[in-house]
Amino acid sequence: MSGRIHLSKPDVTELEERLVLEALRSGWVAPLGPMVDRFETEVAERIGVAGALALSSGTAALHLALLDVGAGPGKVVLVPSMTFAASANAVVYTGAEPVFVDSDPRDGNVDPGLLIEAVDTLRREGHDIAAVMTVDLFGRCADHSDIGPALQDREIPLVEDAAEGLGATRDGQAAGSFGRAAALSFNGNKIITTSGGGMLVSDDLDLLAHARHLSTQARDNAPWYEHTEIGYNYRLSNLLAALGIAQLSRLDAMIMRRRQIRDRYAAALTTVPGVEVLARADGLDDRGDNHWLTCVTLPEATSPDRVVGHLNALDIEARHLWKPMHLQPVHRSRRSFITGASERLFRSAVALPSGSGLSDDDVDRVIDGVLESLRAVVAPLPSHA
Ligand SMILES: Cc1ncc(COP(=O)(O)O)c(C=O)c1O
């Protein structure tokens, strides 16, 4: 048996090495420089938006996006409950209150009908809604077809948490281009990585200019250090941007490999009664997804604990889905609109290793591990060739 299999390990080649070395040798080691400019231009072009701002994390990008659409004390922001903590934390940083909305059971993304209902309920009750946040969960765009027009009618800005979504599309439109602004993450486990980093993207150049100002300590244009606003130290370094440029040039190949991995899981695991690939069952089409993580729902007789525990014992990293925000102790007192869908997914699905660097043998090792963990609860088990 070979080494540990990670959930989503960085996939780096000599190209990354070459560009980082080039940046280092150029002398641009500061948090600004030509690689940052080039990375911003290339990401904006890829997504089809007017501009981009490279930042130290996706969380920083969310924070600045929310500040720029006016989130703050006395306001609320609607956030999907099934997400990583950073989506809700960024709202809290601004002083606004997150309100959680449940999932579409088929893919875990926010339930569009429930979201619009929640917006109207909150408005009727007199709440001041600063923004709605969608999350492109596990690399699949939220279903924006109804959300976009409904928010436009109600003049509420959409902030897209596209941290997991770079390279995904929905109806031909790229993740990161649906809202007033979107946040991308390049942390170590994302589809492309700068080891740590993020980006704010938008068609609104004024919004980006103000976010840029805030991200560099909000230093005013004066001969000395003059500040009229509270700023942050949120910029990305030129060295890390070089890594990002190399990764971006390989994005399509990495998406293709992640899709092959999903196909392999689907072929071997969905023959087991009760096992489905999230976002593939119920007639859903996942061809626009970037396949960042492949998640599978499990038969009722078992639990994610059992499968994750078994795989971990085999030195294979697998994870529970995000524990919904409305169940998190830190958010217990907050408002939420809940159908039970995200909780059911949390209690019935697991995320499997999906990194583009995995070999077919690695994927087979994972499949064997999953099947073994199901052996006691599903009989007879189909065999894996
Ligand atoms: C949905 C989601 N939002 C936000 C973030 C935060 O990104 P970062 O880790 O770059 O701050 C992540 C990833 O970590 C994420 O998965």
Side-chain angles (χ1 to χ4, degrees), residues 93-374:
Y93 299 163
T94 69
E97 270 285 307
V99 173
F100 301 115
V101 182
D102 219 325
S103 297
D104 179 330
R106 300 169 305 163
D107 63 6
N109 266 321
V110 74
D111 177 331
L114 185 66
L115 176 68
I116 297 162
E117 222 178 282
V119 163
D120 290 341
T121 304
L122 291 167
R123 274 243 165 118
R124 260 197 319 277
E125 292 173 2
H127 292 282
D128 188 353
I129 302 175
V132 162
M133 186 191 294
T134 53
V135 175
D136 299 325
L137 195 69
F138 307 128
R140 175 179 178 78
C141 290
D143 182 357
H144 289 102
S145 48
D146 291 333
I147 298 172
L151 294 184
Q152 253 167 21
D153 286 351
R154 292 159 178 78
E155 298 184 346
I156 297 172
L158 172 68
V159 170
E160 191 186 344
D161 181 345
E164 303 171 2
L166 180 64
T169 57
R170 184 144 196 151
D171 302 325
Q173 194 178 334
S177 69
F178 288 94
R180 175 83 61 81
L184 308 174
S185 168
F186 310 124
N187 83 18
N189 73 10
K190 291 298 182 288
I191 190 121
I192 70 167
T193 185
T194 56
S195 80
M199 207 172 275
L200 178 63
V201 294
S202 179
D203 275 328
D204 183 340
L205 294 178
D206 291 337
L207 180 151
L208 286 172
H210 186 241
R212 194 175 291 273
H213 175 64
L214 293 181
S215 73
T216 44
Q217 304 286 21
R219 185 180 171 191
D220 291 342
N221 191 11
W224 47 83
Y225 284 88
E226 178 93 0
H227 304 272
T228 46
E229 281 181 281
I230 297 296
Y232 306 90
N233 181 10
Y234 274 174
R235 289 313 311 268
L236 184 72
S237 100
N238 197 59
L239 292 183
L240 299 185
L243 185 51
I245 291 167
Q247 289 265 287
L248 185 65
S249 74
R250 300 178 46 238
L251 174 62
D252 287 323
M254 293 198 278
I255 291 174
M256 205 184 304
R257 177 61 190 149
R258 284 189 193 245
R259 181 171 179 85
Q260 286 169 353
I261 291 167
R262 181 172 297 184
D263 287 343
R264 212 172 173 87
Y265 283 136
L269 297 177
T270 58
T271 52
V272 180
V275 177
E276 305 264 28
V277 171
L278 199 66
R280 266 203 182 174
D282 297 318
L284 290 189
D285 182 354
D286 73 344
R287 275 171 298 180
D289 300 9
N290 70 11
H291 313 288
W292 173 57
L293 284 188
T294 290
C295 303
V296 296
T297 53
L298 301 168
E300 252 175 50
T302 189
S303 71
D305 276 346
R306 182 189 182 97
V307 176
V308 168
H310 187 79
L311 291 176
N312 285 345
L314 296 171
D315 221 6
I316 296 170
E317 186 187 12
R319 294 228 183 126
H320 291 75
L321 268 54
W322 305 127
K323 181 174 179 181
M325 290 302 113
H326 71 275
L327 299 177
Q328 296 288 353
V330 72
H331 295 304
R332 195 170 288 140
S333 61
R334 300 198 199 277
R335 184 83 182 270
S336 52
F337 291 80
I338 298 305
T339 58
S342 60
E343 185 167 349
R344 278 193 295 279
L345 282 172
F346 172 62
R347 302 206 187 285
S348 67
V350 290
L352 297 177
S354 306
S356 43
L358 292 179
S359 67
D360 286 351
D361 285 348
D362 292 332
V363 179
D364 287 344
R365 230 179 93 195
V366 179
I367 291 168
D368 288 337
V370 175
L371 292 176
E372 262 168 48
S373 73
L374 298 179

Side-chain angles (χ1 to χ4, degrees), residues 41-56:
T41 304
E42 291 185 3
V43 171
E45 275 171 7
R46 167 80 198 209
I47 293 175
V49 288
L53 171 66
L55 295 165
S56 54

